[in-house]
Amino acid sequence: MTQLKAALFDLDGVVFDTEPQYTVFWGGQCRLYHPEHLGLEQEIKGSTLDQIYDRWWSGPLEQEREAVTRRLNDFEAQMGFEYIEGFEAFLSDLRSHGVKTAVVTSSNQPKMQAVYRAHPEFQALFDAILTSEDFAESKPSPDCYLKAAKRFGARSEECVVFEDSINGLKSGLAAGAFVVGLATTNPLEKIKELSEFQAINYEGLSYDRLNGLFNK
């Protein structure tokens, strides 16, 4: 049996049910700048801000990036951060069995400060919190998950990655971790081929069940 040493969680759509709020924000920005491309806010789900800007706010629209970023920062400062159902109990169970836990997110420090204001207990829930400032490459590069595993002195195959976005799932697989897909952003059918196990939330998940799947 391989020892399960670390559980590595993306943030939005994995720890917090924030994706519907981002859909509202980006829906407004996309209709403002790309009215010709209906549904663009759905296409950019799971992309980093740099990836969104490189693809959709380049050329003449590059000068609008500062305004969009300012609106995004204001939006994130007032967002609601509600835990995915069952998350807190599941995380507590993992830690009680000696599993190290980390948040591995493309969010930046200003966004995390909003999280800490909403949840003063948040930092104490995890052994490490890695943000965009800690990585040289964005998902789907495995860089972030490889660095998180290294932080705990673990090999990536001793880690479980929890992700919801296509880029995030690809990142976990490329790192060589066991990947659990959360169907909070994409439908189950879309994430099946990029994850070893799929769930809609953490209800019914426990250390024992995860360890059984991990060593199946």
Side-chain angles (χ1 to χ4, degrees):
M1 290 182 65
T2 301
Q3 182 183 356
L4 172 53
K5 290 187 176 180
L8 312 176
F9 298 87
D10 180 41
L11 187 69
D12 294 296
V14 174
V15 175
F16 294 124
D17 188 19
T18 49
E19 286 302 330
Q21 296 176 74
Y22 278 115
T23 299
V24 171
F25 173 81
W26 284 111
Q29 300 308 301
C30 291
R31 285 189 294 275
L32 179 62
Y33 293 103
H34 287 287
E36 81 290 350
H37 199 118
L38 295 178
L40 179 56
E41 66 272 18
Q42 300 295 330
E43 292 183 34
I44 63 178
K45 281 181 179 292
S47 301
T48 66
L49 188 58
D50 284 344
Q51 289 167 340
I52 293 171
Y53 282 167
D54 287 346
R55 179 74 172 84
W56 297 105
W57 268 264
S58 57
L61 287 182
E62 188 169 347
Q63 63 184 4
E64 297 296 323
R65 292 181 184 183
E66 185 176 344
V68 175
T69 299
R70 186 168 59 250
R71 293 184 201 119
L72 178 60
N73 289 341
D74 291 344
F75 180 82
E76 289 180 333
Q78 301 177 50
M79 281 178 66
F81 295 99
E82 183 178 341
Y83 288 113
I84 298 289
E85 191 173 0
F87 175 76
E88 293 169 281
F90 176 58
L91 189 72
S92 178
D93 191 27
L94 291 179
R95 299 192 76 185
S96 72
H97 285 86
V99 178
K100 296 293 186 181
T101 59
V103 167
V104 184
T105 177
S106 299
S107 298
N108 58 22
Q109 279 300 321
K111 159 76 172 291
M112 296 310 298
Q113 294 306 313
V115 170
Y116 303 152
R117 286 193 296 272
H119 290 281
E121 81 289 352
F122 190 80
Q123 288 171 285
L125 295 178
F126 300 92
D127 298 293
I129 296 176
L130 288 76
T131 62
S132 62
E133 291 85 355
D134 296 307
F135 315 127
E137 301 174 5
S138 300
K139 302 171 186 177
S141 165
D143 179 53
C144 58
Y145 286 117
L146 293 174
K147 286 184 177 175
K150 187 176 180 180
R151 178 77 64 93
F152 296 135
R155 292 176 289 117
S156 55
E157 56 265 33
E158 298 171 318
C159 301
V160 176
V161 162
F162 294 83
E163 272 284 0
D164 64 313
S165 71
I166 300 303
N167 281 341
L169 293 165
K170 288 180 178 179
S171 175
L173 288 177
F178 183 93
V179 178
V180 173
L182 273 292
T184 53
T185 300
N186 294 288
L188 283 169
E189 315 83 68
K190 194 170 182 180
I191 65 175
K192 274 186 177 179
E193 62 184 32
L194 296 172
S195 53
E196 281 89 359
F197 179 74
Q198 303 81 40
I200 59 172
N201 56 40
Y202 297 96
E203 291 293 321
L205 267 181
S206 64
Y207 167 80
D208 288 335
R209 187 177 183 198
L210 180 63
N211 195 47
L213 293 166
F214 182 69
N215 280 288
K216 191 173 180 179

